[in-house]
Amino acid sequence: MTFSRKIKIAPSILSADFASFGAECRAIEAQGADWVHVDVMDGHFVPNLTFGPATCAAIRPHIKGVMDVHLMIAPVDAYIEAFAAAGADVISAHLEAGPHIHRSLQAIRGAGVKAGLAINPGTPVEALEYLLDMVDLVCVMTVNPGFGGQSFIQSQVAKVARLRAMIGDRPVHIEIDGGVTTQTAPLVAAAGADVLVAGSAVFKGGSVDNPAVYGSNIAAIRAAAQGAL
Ligand code: DX5
Ligand code: ZN
């Protein structure tokens, strides 16, 4: 993973066919996805359940590029080694998932994986001040985590701009997660985001049998974001 602020589209397989994850990952990469975003939910930190490290390990051989694992679980630390062993390239933990996020980020990097820090819509960027030197990515949630298909929370655009200024020259990605569409992608790209997660906006209208729709959806989001730069 060489660092670049070029716009990257990261489809969330939360909106894929759960019975066909391997084929879905191959399809979105063939159709232009830069990263594959994998949403892990525990029914405790968020009110929804998805899957764990065994599913991530099963998906891994079907992804040529970056497997970006977003942990919406609490506690986090006991599971970091398992997600690293499953082949994650990036593991993001939530600042709100427990009292020791600093330790969790150390553990992620210690496992040889890029460390991501995810923050909920109600969390101020100032909370990141003493963490920015130990992360490779900040994931700004632009919906309340737990479900795909929710509406983008506009107040987060100003947060992204403030975060971009705080990051300065550090090689830290800004990822946006939730409600990314051709309408909202330009707002966050202009504010400084470089990784755009999109679930419903990528998978809508397509399937593994009709993957060209994924390609046109990915291209449309990318063009909308790049048009704002
Ligand atoms: C929400 C997840 C997101 C979600 C985004 O908790 O972290 O990755 O899948 O879905 P859309 O793009 O549909 O808002
Ligand atoms: Zn996510």
Side-chain angles (χ1 to χ4, degrees):
M1 281 179 71
T2 44
F3 183 83
S4 154
R5 291 200 194 282
K6 213 175 87 180
I7 295 291
K8 292 164 282 296
I9 309 297
S12 164
I13 60 167
L14 188 62
S15 296
D17 175 359
F18 272 42
S20 309
F21 275 149
E24 292 275 39
C25 290
R26 295 195 303 273
I28 53 176
E29 282 198 330
Q31 294 295 327
D34 299 287
W35 292 10
V36 176
H37 185 82
V38 180
D39 285 309
V40 176
M41 304 185 186
D42 67 351
H44 167 73
F45 179 69
V46 290
N48 193 8
L49 277 167
T50 55
F51 46 76
T55 303
C56 292
I59 293 169
R60 176 72 261 187
H62 301 276
I63 300 172
K64 290 187 195 140
V66 171
M67 183 161 89
D68 172 35
V69 176
H70 177 194
L71 297 182
M72 286 161 277
I73 68 173
V76 173
D77 294 10
Y79 300 99
I80 289 170
E81 277 297 339
F83 285 102
D89 297 290
V90 182
I91 296 176
S92 294
H94 266 265
L95 181 95
E96 307 85 1
H100 298 297
I101 186 64
H102 190 286
R103 176 184 291 149
S104 302
L105 294 168
Q106 284 178 323
I108 294 169
R109 280 195 168 170
V113 178
K114 300 280 187 199
L117 175 57
I119 52 170
N120 285 337
T123 299
V125 275
E126 287 71 20
L128 307 185
E129 185 174 356
Y130 297 102
L131 300 169
L132 282 180
D133 286 323
M134 55 191 307
V135 299
D136 302 288
L137 174 148
V138 177
C139 175
V140 177
M141 294 302 303
T142 41
V143 297
N144 285 296
F147 302 95
Q150 302 181 80
S151 298
F152 181 87
I153 300 172
Q154 295 283 342
S155 61
Q156 302 305 296
V157 176
K159 183 195 276 188
V160 173
R162 290 173 74 176
L163 174 62
R164 182 67 195 88
M166 280 174 71
I167 286 173
D169 293 335
R170 295 177 180 90
V172 175
H173 298 288
I174 299 180
E175 178 176 73
I176 303 300
D177 191 2
V180 170
T181 64
T182 51
Q183 279 75 48
T184 57
L187 307 176
V188 288
D194 63 293
V195 185
L196 306 183
V197 174
S200 25
V202 166
F203 285 92
K204 68 166 187 228
S207 71
V208 289
D209 298 321
N210 187 17
V213 175
Y214 298 160
S216 51
N217 289 342
I218 290 168
I221 298 165
R222 192 192 308 282
Q226 287 175 338
L229 302 179

